[in-house]
Amino acid sequence: MPNAIQIQVADSHLYPGCAVRIADLPVAAGAPDLAEARVEFADGSGAHATCHLRAHDELELTVDRYATQKRHPIDARHWLLLAVDATHHSWRVKRRLP
């Protein structure tokens, strides 16, 4: 995934309120509707994901199944993230989506 968006999570898993950092999210007009992403968790684990910019400040993130560094399995989940700043670098998980 050489052109995948890099997403950094402040914990070993996602949950409502969790801080997320995205350095280079393509938010300009003409950006792809659905983008490949690589999620890096604070414990060193990682997962493949896809993201979709739903509105200017809302991002849908679908994270594939993965295991934390302590080998705790985390099922695939779908999340709604909200931008915390105008640069779209800092985000917070708002809620889990069905």
Side-chain angles (χ1 to χ4, degrees):
M1 285 184 290
N3 294 328
I5 296 168
Q6 297 296 313
I7 299 174
Q8 297 173 325
V9 178
D11 207 332
S12 62
H13 60 284
L14 292 164
Y15 52 86
C18 181
V20 176
R21 183 136 178 90
I22 306 173
D24 296 311
L25 181 66
V27 293
D33 186 41
L34 193 63
E36 297 284 319
R38 178 74 186 156
V39 181
E40 298 172 359
F41 295 94
D43 69 348
S45 59
H48 175 266
T50 54
C51 56
H52 165 70
L53 196 59
R54 204 159 103 158
H56 179 67
D57 291 336
E58 289 186 341
L59 180 76
E60 285 184 40
L61 181 66
T62 303
V63 181
D64 291 350
R65 179 179 170 85
Y66 72 99
T68 66
Q69 283 294 334
K70 292 184 178 181
R71 301 182 195 265
H72 179 76
I74 306 291
D75 289 333
R77 300 239 166 94
H78 191 151
W79 300 95
L80 176 63
L81 282 63
L82 297 179
V84 175
D85 62 10
T87 64
H88 291 89
H89 290 155
S90 296
W91 297 77
R92 288 242 180 243
V93 175
K94 179 171 182 174
R95 63 184 165 94
R96 188 171 162 196
L97 297 170

